[in-house]
Amino acid sequence: MDLPRSFTIRESSHRICNPFTSDKLALLGRAISPAPGTRMLDLGCGKGEMLCTWARDHGLTGTGVDLSTVFIDAARKRAAELDVADQVEFVHADASGHVADEPVGIAACVGATWIGSGVGGTVDLLRHSLAPGGMMLIGEPYWRREPEDQRVVEGCQMARRDDLLTLPDLLEQFGGLGCDVVEMVLADQDSWDRYVSAQWLNVRRWLDTNPDDELADQMRAELTSAPVQYVGYQREYLGWGVFVLMDR
């Protein structure tokens, strides 16, 4: 049970495995201003940067769950580096069935709503761990611009136009799920650039040191096409944000 190696190759230098910068992650923490001692569950936690830095900056405690052994190992090392290993723990598991042992004040799934087969299922999963009055964090892409045709949809690595919503429609969906949207922090094109273009350098460095690996041809083809595809489609059409929800 693990993520494909291609994921960990692309994001080998990343601390944040989504289009957020450290500044935006810190801004989100300040925006919701959790009380010291608040317990948090982060499903699909990646390398644990949100949980670790918020434990340091806000005194949180909590648990991160992720499918990747590489990411979980990085998260544990980050917790030790920031001297918060006694506040947080990281579990290698399929987050799609994970419910906290005790209710938490913050339940998060930032960029991995596939664990609940979409936004609706993920909100329902997080509710199983959430204390009354707690907050849910959902990280989700959306259409920054309406795609004109199927060519644009596929250029953004989507199968169908309906795979994503526009930002107003996404917020309306949250309301339809019985949630108030109480905060949001959105990625911008610069933070997208930092996330995606760093992947190209990671892939190139990996190719230089692993030319005979069984994935080399696949990763070479990806590096050849990815920059043009990104600036032609994803950079212009895709948005991404973290939305803070509270049950009505």
Side-chain angles (χ1 to χ4, degrees):
M1 183 176 61
D2 213 329
L3 287 178
R5 274 201 305 142
S6 57
F7 280 78
T8 56
I9 292 168
R10 289 186 202 101
E11 302 192 352
S12 58
S13 72
H14 291 59
R15 283 184 173 167
I16 301 172
C17 301
N18 58 58
F20 251 20
T21 61
S22 297
D23 287 344
K24 287 186 178 290
L25 187 61
L27 172 61
L28 178 63
R30 293 193 301 271
I32 64 174
S33 190
T38 298
R39 295 185 69 243
M40 181 174 177
L41 175 67
D42 188 4
L43 299 183
C45 66
K47 297 181 182 179
E49 188 71 1
M50 180 167 65
L51 195 53
C52 289
T53 56
W54 288 9
R56 177 195 63 191
D57 297 340
H58 301 284
L60 294 181
T61 64
T63 301
V65 183
D66 202 90
L67 192 63
S68 170
T69 54
V70 172
F71 290 173
I72 287 292
D73 182 58
R76 290 170 178 158
K77 290 178 180 176
R78 184 64 166 156
E81 177 185 346
L82 297 184
D83 197 24
V84 295
D86 60 337
Q87 296 169 242
V88 298
E89 65 171 344
F90 293 97
V91 177
H92 173 237
D94 181 354
S96 62
H98 190 95
V99 175
D101 294 336
E102 299 178 13
V104 299
I106 301 173
C109 178
V110 176
T113 57
W114 52 267
I115 69 171
S117 300
V119 169
T122 300
V123 167
D124 184 60
L125 175 62
L126 295 179
R127 279 177 171 147
H128 283 81
S129 296
L130 195 66
M135 293 180 174
M136 291 178 278
L137 309 182
I138 295 285
E140 185 71 2
Y142 57 86
W143 290 121
R144 182 172 172 267
R145 287 175 52 187
E146 292 269 8
E148 295 87 358
D149 52 36
Q150 184 63 19
R151 174 181 58 88
V152 174
V153 171
E154 293 176 2
C156 292
Q157 300 181 342
M158 299 293 157
R160 302 176 303 148
R161 157 66 179 85
D162 293 343
D163 286 344
L164 295 181
L165 300 175
T166 64
L167 184 57
D169 287 343
L170 180 57
L171 267 61
E172 186 173 352
Q173 181 185 24
F174 292 140
L177 294 169
C179 299
D180 288 323
V181 180
V182 298
E183 254 296 355
M184 68 178 188
V185 177
L186 304 181
D188 54 28
Q189 287 183 308
D190 181 66
S191 56
W192 267 107
D193 291 348
R194 301 278 48 79
Y195 174 56
V196 176
S197 61
Q199 295 180 357
W200 308 335
L201 183 56
N202 291 338
V203 171
R204 174 53 196 263
R205 284 174 170 165
W206 181 86
L207 284 168
D208 286 347
T209 56
N210 297 274
D212 299 321
D213 191 279
E214 62 182 3
L215 288 181
D217 289 346
Q218 172 189 328
M219 303 310 291
R220 162 43 60 193
E222 179 179 307
L223 180 58
T224 300
S225 62
V228 172
Q229 183 179 32
Y230 169 68
V231 299
Y233 298 105
Q234 297 160 25
R235 191 176 194 271
E236 296 301 317
Y237 288 90
L238 289 183
W240 195 89
V242 179
F243 305 91
V244 183
L245 314 177
M246 296 181 71
D247 279 326
R248 290 175 181 165

